[in-house]
Amino acid sequence: DGGITQSPKYLFRKEGQNVTLSCEQNLNHDAMYWYRQDPGQGLRLIYYSQIVNDFQKGDIAEGYSVSREKKESFPLTVTSAQKNPTAFYLCASSIGVVQETQYFGPGTRLLVL
Amino acid sequence: KNQVEQSPQSLIILEGKNCTLQCNYTVSPFSNLRWYKQDTGRGPVSLTIMTFSENTKSNGRYTATLDADTKQSSLHITASQLSDSASYICVVTGGSYIPTFGRGTSLIVHP
């Protein structure tokens, strides 16, 4: 099956701990994105990558880091510097950045203990 | 600042009825506008995409309209079904090609 997958579905983090959210796609898309969704708010862009080994900060990159070593993978690390990490995290991919529909994964819900 | 405003915030309708959701935006320059459907706890799924030259596009019972002059779009749902209960998100992309998301309209369809 072609698609975009995220794991885990639920993730718990202790204060001061870094956690990494996985995002994999087998759609052969060049561009990948990470968004954060909070209740009653629109999706906010954390990071995006147009091509392997390249990525740019979005609107709320502070406290997050990413890597793009492979075309199909774009993991997101939520660091201890992110003071309010509890949210629903969505990964997406598209053929390119320009005028292309984004395909979203099922999301990961991160909860801070 | 690029903004996308959606109304109403929430809507409750009876199964079989029609409804229209609104989207106003201030994104400039304009590249395209998309409507997404997001079921609770799931990722959004694209319904339609429209560029500047398009003023209407349909996808089954979903019909989107775009007025680029007034910077308004609407999503009309015909003969609603229980499975239409979801959040509908308007997304506008401008010259930077980074999309701006609306907060969504939460639609509940009652039997």
Side-chain angles (χ1 to χ4, degrees), chain A residues 20-35:
Chain A
T20 297
L21 284 60
S22 170
C23 178
E24 304 278 333
Q25 54 97 1
N26 60 6
L27 300 168
N28 200 32
H29 286 173
D30 284 318
M32 297 187 75
Y33 314 78
W34 273 106
Y35 293 93

Side-chain angles (χ1 to χ4, degrees), chain B:
Chain B
K1 180 181 178 181
N2 291 336
Q3 286 188 316
V4 175
E5 300 290 339
Q6 292 187 242
S7 62
Q9 185 175 359
S10 61
L11 182 62
I12 301 174
I13 62 174
L14 293 175
E15 186 179 12
K17 298 296 185 182
N18 303 337
C19 67
T20 300
L21 314 180
Q22 301 292 343
C23 173
N24 297 337
Y25 61 92
T26 60
V27 177
S28 183
F30 175 85
S31 179
N32 61 67
L33 184 146
R34 302 182 180 93
W35 283 94
Y36 283 86
K37 177 186 179 186
Q38 184 179 22
D39 293 316
T40 301
R42 308 288 293 272
V45 175
S46 178
L47 294 175
T48 64
I49 178 172
M50 289 185 291
T51 59
F52 185 87
S53 60
E54 298 172 297
N55 55 26
T56 186
K57 184 165 283 189
S58 292
N59 178 1
R61 294 180 296 102
Y62 301 102
T63 299
T65 65
L66 173 65
D67 186 333
D69 291 331
T70 62
K71 298 186 177 180
Q72 295 180 325
S73 176
S74 66
L75 180 69
H76 186 75
I77 304 174
T78 304
S80 61
Q81 300 176 358
L82 299 179
S83 60
D84 291 332
S85 295
S87 179
Y88 291 85
I89 304 172
C90 177
V91 185
V92 182
T93 301
S96 69
Y97 303 117
I98 301 304
T100 301
F101 287 75
R103 297 184 177 188
T105 292
S106 177
L107 174 65
I108 298 174
V109 180
H110 275 309

Side-chain angles (χ1 to χ4, degrees), chain A residues 33-48 56-62 64 66 74 76 82-92 102 104, chain B residues 1-2 4 38 44 89-91 98-104:
Chain A
Y33 314 78
W34 273 106
Y35 293 93
R36 170 180 172 142
Q37 188 174 36
D38 295 282
Q41 293 197 36
L43 274 68
R44 292 182 290 170
L45 182 65
I46 305 173
Y47 270 97
Y48 69 101
Q56 287 81 41
K57 294 181 179 180
D59 298 325
I60 56 166
E62 185 175 353
Y64 300 97
V66 294
F74 191 41
L76 173 74
Q82 172 48 242
K83 298 307 179 186
N84 186 22
T86 295
F88 189 50
Y89 291 88
L90 286 161
C91 179
Q102 294 182 10
F104 285 84
Chain B
K1 180 181 178 181
N2 291 336
V4 175
Q38 184 179 22
I89 304 172
C90 177
V91 185
I98 301 304
T100 301
F101 287 75
R103 297 184 177 188

Side-chain angles (χ1 to χ4, degrees), chain A residues 6-12 20-22 107-109:
Chain A
Q6 292 183 241
S7 62
K9 188 173 179 63
Y10 296 96
L11 186 58
F12 299 92
T20 297
L21 284 60
S22 170
T108 292
R109 189 166 298 280

Side-chain angles (χ1 to χ4, degrees), chain A residues 68-87:
Chain A
R68 187 83 188 278
E69 297 176 0
K70 298 186 296 182
K71 186 176 185 177
E72 58 270 22
S73 179
F74 191 41
L76 173 74
T77 296
V78 184
T79 74
S80 57
Q82 172 48 242
K83 298 307 179 186
N84 186 22
T86 295

